[in-house]
Amino acid sequence: QKEVEQNSGPLSVPEGAIASLNCTYSDRGSQSFFWYRQYSGKSPELIMSIYSNGDKEDGRFTAQLNKASQYVSLLIRDSQPSDSATYLCAVSGNYGGSQGNLIFGKGTKLSVKP
Amino acid sequence: DVKVTQSSRYLVKRTGEKVFLECVQDMDHENMFWYRQDPGLGLRLIYFSYDVKMKEKGDIPEGYSVSREKKERFSLILESASTNQTSMYLCASRVEVNTEAFFGQGTRLTVV
């Protein structure tokens, strides 16, 4: 059973601070990793994708991947109240056909206080 | 822009009814997924399809079936709706394995 684990939170940070969200996964064959943001009552929207070890930056967001430790994280710099949402980590293996599913963690709820 | 469209935003059905949830994508994506989302349980995979007429069970397929007769359309079928199938249902699609998936707007299904 492939698993993706996240702390459920809630994670509370003050406005302007760095929010750090973490995710671990069980399948060593995993090749692609995604962070989604989901506002209450809405569907998930993609924030970042990362495929190689190291950091990937996009604006205020930085995704970090360490395949040896089976760990992926998301940093949000200069957090804003509008960043308050649930953040979902998703993992996909490099398997085609019937093995190519996409597994999500349960999500971490982030609250940014003004 | 990728567009994934689910047929209904809200749906109320009676116990025992056969329910069809439709999902259409307009970007020639190979892979399509059906998830349900419940508080505290996260997104759970019901079924996914990796090509036309090809499907694979996810973690919770019991009580559900799927159909993918055309590449752009992936249907989820509740054979005999029960109250424990009340949930938010989310469809997603992606070009192929290892690419990002895009979600439809979700269908909130209530079974009474």
Side-chain angles (χ1 to χ4, degrees), chain A residues 52-74:
Chain A
S52 304
N53 280 330
D55 295 359
K56 179 181 178 183
E57 189 174 315
D58 184 0
R60 295 186 296 112
F61 299 97
T62 298
Q64 300 174 317
L65 174 62
N66 183 326
K67 289 186 179 179
S69 300
Q70 295 175 243
Y71 176 90
V72 58
S73 66
L74 180 71

Side-chain angles (χ1 to χ4, degrees), chain A residues 2-18:
Chain A
K2 300 170 188 172
E3 293 183 345
V4 178
E5 300 285 344
Q6 295 180 254
N7 289 328
S8 61
L11 173 65
S12 184
V13 300
E15 184 174 354
I18 295 175

Side-chain angles (χ1 to χ4, degrees), chain B residues 8-9 18-19 24-25 31 35 48 65-66 69 72-73 75 83 85-88 90 93 98-99 102-103 111-112:
Chain B
S8 304
R9 186 72 180 92
K18 191 169 186 176
V19 181
V24 177
Q25 49 91 5
N31 296 172
Y35 296 90
F48 79 98
S65 62
V66 290
E69 296 296 317
E72 67 270 20
R73 187 180 297 270
S75 303
T83 54
Q85 292 178 310
T86 292
S87 186
M88 170 70 90
L90 289 159
S93 74
N98 278 336
T99 60
F102 297 91
F103 282 85
V111 182
V112 297

